[in-house]
């Protein structure tokens, strides 16, 4: 597509996480070496960047404990390198991976280099950062951006509530690598490794082990699922602060042998784990304003042909079409979650229909190629609006 962007993002592969994947997948499709990525130096970066089609600039973005604020050095490094690149190259726009720190830096670089600024908004940062100085700085960056890309309808509404002009907000859902995540991948060895019987039903969750993801809610359902006559096991992929809590909960409920915490798994095995399960579940909920902005894992599961269950909190409604590609339930309600799991596990036809609809949607509208095309179109729309604005001023 031959775009020339300066992209400022702390999160970029090989850093783990859906946001890092999003930026890597989209910008490699939008252009070549004329796209410059300013990002964090992380282990494995040299090997990753060597074959990358974009120009990647790595900085030490670790926070300095004795500075106030601790992120001051990060802001300074991002600004100096980004401005130098903006003055040296002819970019079409500056894109920021988040409102803070990248968005504030992008706004300043954009104003000094006369470039339009686009900031991505992911949802959880809009509702989970309180109302202090950090929130005010975030509002400033978002309100002064030429364009804000929201990942879901939920995020768009949160932006409007913060005072961002609606006409400057565009919705672009994250995507999925449909060549990597696909149905029919071999997975019997993974199930055998867990010691599952041929008729066992495997539930799967993927994500950071934190309370709002709802892993504990699924574990609490296991005793009643087993009592209903189902041989159910639960696999969890991810690491995080709740690991000991989840292990202890499984022991208390007597389901330790049915809960399989897998930690990180090899990249090639992740799509196979989606294929290995009967049902993907992430019963997310909001805790202290922290919520799910979208949920890329839901469309990864969909791309593998799996029915999904999501919590209603946050922006999951843009990732899971309720009653079509999966079910959305109140993540705070144990009975609602249990009923949804039972409904899908007991109805093979319904489960296959939900999975098939999710697979079709992932392939047709949520591939990374489709997301890149949508992103490029938004850039053209933004340029047209800016041109019209200048004409009206004259």
């Amino acid at each position: 597509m031959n775009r020339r962007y300066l992209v400022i993002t702390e999160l970029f592969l090989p850093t783990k996480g859906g946001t890092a994947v999003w930026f890597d997948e989209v910008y490699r499709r939008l252009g070549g070496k004329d796209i410059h990525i300013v990002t964090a130096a992380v282990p494995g970066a040299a090997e990753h960047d060597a074959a990358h089609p974009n120009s990647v600039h790595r900085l030490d973005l670790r926070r300095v404990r004795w500075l106030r604020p601790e992120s001051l050095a990060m802001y300074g490094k991002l600004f100096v390198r980004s401005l130098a690149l903006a003055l040296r190259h002819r970019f079409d726009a500056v894109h920021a991976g988040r409102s803070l720190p990248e968005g504030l830096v992008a706004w300043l670089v954009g104003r000094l280099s006369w470039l339009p600024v686009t900031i991505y908004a992911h949802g959880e940062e809009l509702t989970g950062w309180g109302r202090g100085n950090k929130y005010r700085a975030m509002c400033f960056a978002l309100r002064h951006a030429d364009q804000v890309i929201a990942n879901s309808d939920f995020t768009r509404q949160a932006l409007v509530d913060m005072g961002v002009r609606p006409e400057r907000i565009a919705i672009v859902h994250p995507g999925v690598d449909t060549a990597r995540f696909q149905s029919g991948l071999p997975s019997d060895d993974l199930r055998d490794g867990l010691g599952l019987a041929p008729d066992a039903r495997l539930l799967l969750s993927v994500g950071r082990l934190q309370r709002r993801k709802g892993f504990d809610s699924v574990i609490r359902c296991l005793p009643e699922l087993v009592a209903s006559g189902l041989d159910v096991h639960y696999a969890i992929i991810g690491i995080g602060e709740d690991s000991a809590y989840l292990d202890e909960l499984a022991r208390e409920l007597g389901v330790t042998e049915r809960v399989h915490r897998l930690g990180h798994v090899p990249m090639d095995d992740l799509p196979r784990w989606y294929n290995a399960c009967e049902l993907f579940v992430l019963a997310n909920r909001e805790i202290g304003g922290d919520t799910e902005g979208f949920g890329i894992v839901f469309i990864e599961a969909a791309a593998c042909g799996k029915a999904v269950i999501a919590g209603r909190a946050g922006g999951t409604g843009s990732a899971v079409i309720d009653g079509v590609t999966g079910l959305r339930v109140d993540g705070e309600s144990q009975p609602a979650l249990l009923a949804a799991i039972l409904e899908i596990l007991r109805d093979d036809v319904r489960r296959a229909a939900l999975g098939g609809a999710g697979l079709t949607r992932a392939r047709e509208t949520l591939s990374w190629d489709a997301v890149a095309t949508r992103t490029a179109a938004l850039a053209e729309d933004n340029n047209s609006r800016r041109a019209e604005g200048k004409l009206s001023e004259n």
Side-chain angles (χ1 to χ4, degrees), residues 148-170:
V148 180
I149 294 178
N151 64 350
S152 66
D153 295 304
F154 165 81
T155 300
R156 183 188 186 280
Q157 186 56 53
L159 289 166
V160 172
D161 294 342
M162 293 170 65
V164 180
R165 290 166 58 180
E167 65 270 19
R168 292 188 177 182
I169 304 170

Side-chain angles (χ1 to χ4, degrees), residues 172-252:
V172 178
H173 300 319
V176 62
D177 184 347
T178 52
R180 179 179 170 221
F181 293 91
Q182 55 180 292
S183 62
L185 297 177
S187 58
D188 287 347
D189 60 315
L190 300 179
R191 293 176 63 92
D192 291 343
L194 299 182
L196 302 188
D199 61 345
R201 303 301 179 92
L202 181 63
L203 308 177
L204 175 69
S205 294
V206 178
R208 181 167 183 81
L209 305 186
Q210 53 187 193
R211 205 64 53 93
R212 73 169 171 86
K213 297 286 188 178
F215 303 107
D216 55 338
S217 298
V218 181
I219 292 175
R220 293 181 191 280
C221 287
L222 291 178
E224 292 182 77
L225 290 169
V226 174
S228 73
L230 296 173
D231 182 9
V232 178
H233 286 248
Y234 180 36
I236 304 173
I237 295 175
I239 61 173
E241 57 271 21
D242 265 6
S243 56
Y245 162 70
L246 296 175
D247 290 343
E248 178 59 29
L249 179 61
R251 282 192 293 270
E252 290 177 0

Side-chain angles (χ1 to χ4, degrees), residues 285-308:
R285 61 212 181 200
E286 180 179 322
I287 297 180
D290 189 16
T291 193
E292 195 75 34
F294 178 82
I296 289 179
V297 291
F298 295 116
I299 55 173
E300 289 178 348
C304 294
K306 297 301 175 177
V308 302

Side-chain angles (χ1 to χ4, degrees), residues 263-277:
H264 280 316
V265 301
M267 288 187 63
D268 290 342
D269 280 351
L270 181 57
R272 298 203 304 127
W273 276 110
Y274 282 114
N275 275 266
C277 75

